[in-house]
Amino acid sequence: MFRAPYGAGMPAFTTLLHDLPATRAEVARHLGLTPATIARYEAADAAPRLVLLALFWESRWGRSTADCEAVNWAAHSHHEAQILRRENAALRRHIELLEAQLSAGSDQAANAPIFSISGAS
């Protein structure tokens, strides 16, 4: 359900910070913080979880997680579409068989089996 990493799986603040192609001032502006706050977090190599999560989704790890999720959902949707396409084709064949029986003027009961065993009525 949740795709964000938990504490042990989260890269360190400085690792996330160095992964971003942005200056400290740009990161501070993006997060709504002051550059001094970013410098303090960097010196301690720790930041609040919300800051770490915000930077995680901007880093290569977050983008990779999102891309992986998108690819998995696309593959799932593609396979589901193939299954439904095959099911639709089978239902069309079934409808054609029923229409052929109707047009043949069959005297069978409406609830008779479609496929009868040869020799049995």
Side-chain angles (χ1 to χ4, degrees):
M1 182 169 143
F2 294 105
R3 301 293 180 244
Y6 290 96
M10 180 79 71
F13 178 75
T14 54
T15 304
L16 290 171
L17 198 58
H18 293 299
D19 188 59
L20 300 175
T23 65
R24 302 299 183 263
E26 290 171 332
V27 171
R29 193 172 332 120
H30 176 70
L31 296 173
L33 301 170
T34 64
T37 304
I38 296 296
R40 190 176 25 153
Y41 292 162
E42 190 172 10
D45 196 17
R49 180 166 169 75
L50 293 175
V51 171
L52 292 174
L53 285 173
L55 292 181
F56 173 80
W57 292 114
E58 296 294 331
S59 72
R60 75 179 95 179
W61 298 285
R63 290 190 313 268
S64 176
T65 300
D67 290 346
C68 182
E69 187 75 10
V71 167
N72 287 340
W73 275 106
H76 172 77
S77 297
H78 174 73
H79 292 301
E80 186 176 18
Q82 287 180 328
I83 290 167
L84 292 172
R85 197 173 294 120
R86 285 192 299 266
E87 186 177 321
N88 194 18
L91 289 171
R92 282 192 179 132
R93 287 191 301 273
H94 186 72
I95 289 169
E96 288 171 2
L97 179 62
L98 292 173
E99 287 174 342
Q101 285 182 347
L102 282 173
S103 65
S106 173
D107 59 351
Q108 288 182 327
N111 62 349
I114 295 173
F115 301 104
S116 59
I117 300 172
S118 59
S121 306

